[in-house]
Amino acid sequence: EPEVTQTPSHQVTQMGQEVILRCVPISNHLYFYWYRQILGQKVEFLVSFYNNEISEKSEIFDDQFSVERPDGSNFTLKIRSTKLEDSAMYFCASSERGTDYNEQFFGPGTRLTVL
Amino acid sequence: QKEVEQNSGPLSVPEGAIASLNCTYSDRVSQSFFWYRQYSGKSPELIMSIYSNGDKEDGRFTAQLNKASQYVSLLIRDSQPSDSATYLCAVGKASGGGADGLTFGKGTHLIIQP
């Protein structure tokens, strides 16, 4: 069964460093998403992406964040200058549709720890 | 501010009984409703989606939607210990194009007692 994959599973970085989180969405999906979940808190939407551009972004997704689809399979989230409060699980998701009936399937996540 | 509310629990249910999980949402334009299951330390796993008022059944799971009351529920019949997890309610809107981010509730922690 097709699934979303993410690498790395765990990333440890120093405050102020740049990190890139990688995702391979399900192959026939066209809509991609990043979410984060701080330990013990709810899953929060960061950004969605379609047709090589950002479709929607939340207040969390400020100038330190960027997304890119560098090739036909990967979807990346870059955090330019990490802060302690960026420590969280980051989930990539993909869906076949963007709105109506847009079932989103999540990857296993990347645990980001900022020291 | 879009909000999705769930009782955090824990909700304790005997094995074999029916577990009933509830969710309310604040944004009236919401059109898509999902239930995800999340085991500790794992990612959300989609178990049910519902888009129209009424009931939708899939195996042991039944999702119920009442848009007038802004209420979504999930029933799990014949509860098994493996159903013990946190259940997340997620809501999306029909934005007419692009990719629609979901708003999640905090989740209900369900414990099935053997």
Side-chain angles (χ1 to χ4, degrees):
Chain A
E1 187 171 326
E3 58 184 21
V4 177
T5 59
Q6 291 185 244
T7 54
S9 57
H10 191 185
Q11 174 90 47
V12 181
T13 189
Q14 296 290 326
M15 189 169 55
Q17 296 296 303
E18 175 182 287
V19 295
I20 297 176
L21 310 183
R22 291 181 168 80
C23 168
V24 178
I26 294 171
S27 61
N28 65 326
H29 286 184
L30 301 177
Y31 301 86
F32 316 123
Y33 313 81
W34 284 102
Y35 292 84
R36 78 172 185 189
Q37 186 175 32
I38 295 170
L39 186 64
Q41 299 188 24
K42 65 181 179 180
V43 175
E44 297 175 293
F45 169 70
L46 293 178
V47 66
S48 60
F49 192 87
Y50 169 67
N51 200 24
N52 281 320
E53 61 182 23
I54 289 174
S55 182
E56 183 184 6
K57 60 183 181 179
S58 73
E59 294 173 349
I60 303 169
F61 193 87
D62 61 23
D63 290 345
Q64 71 161 342
F65 292 94
S66 62
V67 290
E68 189 180 29
R69 186 152 165 85
D71 54 44
S73 59
N74 289 283
F75 178 52
T76 63
L77 174 69
K78 180 191 291 186
I79 309 175
R80 287 190 184 79
S81 178
T82 50
K83 304 171 189 169
L84 295 176
E85 54 265 37
D86 293 328
S87 294
M89 281 289 288
Y90 287 81
F91 296 112
C92 174
S94 69
S95 65
E96 203 169 351
R97 300 171 62 102
T99 52
D100 304 334
Y101 310 98
N102 59 328
E103 296 183 336
Q104 297 181 22
F105 297 90
F106 280 66
T110 293
R111 178 172 298 283
L112 177 64
T113 301
V114 182
L115 302 176
Chain B
Q1 180 83 357
K2 294 180 288 185
E3 296 287 344
V4 177
E5 299 290 340
Q6 296 181 256
N7 189 323
S8 61
L11 174 65
S12 186
V13 174
E15 183 177 357
I18 296 174
S20 178
L21 305 163
N22 304 312
C23 169
T24 59
Y25 60 95
S26 64
D27 191 350
R28 286 195 168 271
V29 302
S30 300
Q31 296 292 333
S32 305
F33 306 89
F34 306 93
W35 284 98
Y36 287 83
R37 178 173 62 198
Q38 187 175 33
Y39 294 112
S40 181
K42 301 296 185 181
S43 63
E45 175 192 5
L46 180 65
I47 54 172
M48 287 290 288
S49 59
I50 188 166
Y51 308 98
S52 304
N53 280 329
D55 295 0
K56 178 183 177 183
E57 186 175 320
D58 184 0
R60 295 187 297 113
F61 299 98
T62 299
Q64 300 174 315
L65 173 61
N66 183 325
K67 289 185 180 179
S69 301
Q70 296 176 241
Y71 177 88
V72 195
S73 66
L74 179 70
L75 301 177
I76 307 174
R77 287 182 299 281
D78 188 23
S79 297
Q80 303 297 310
S82 59
D83 295 327
S84 298
T86 296
Y87 288 81
L88 310 179
C89 176
V91 173
K93 65 183 187 301
S95 61
D100 184 22
L102 301 179
T103 300
F104 281 81
K106 291 183 178 179
T108 298
H109 184 204
L110 176 65
I111 298 171
I112 306 300
Q113 295 181 321

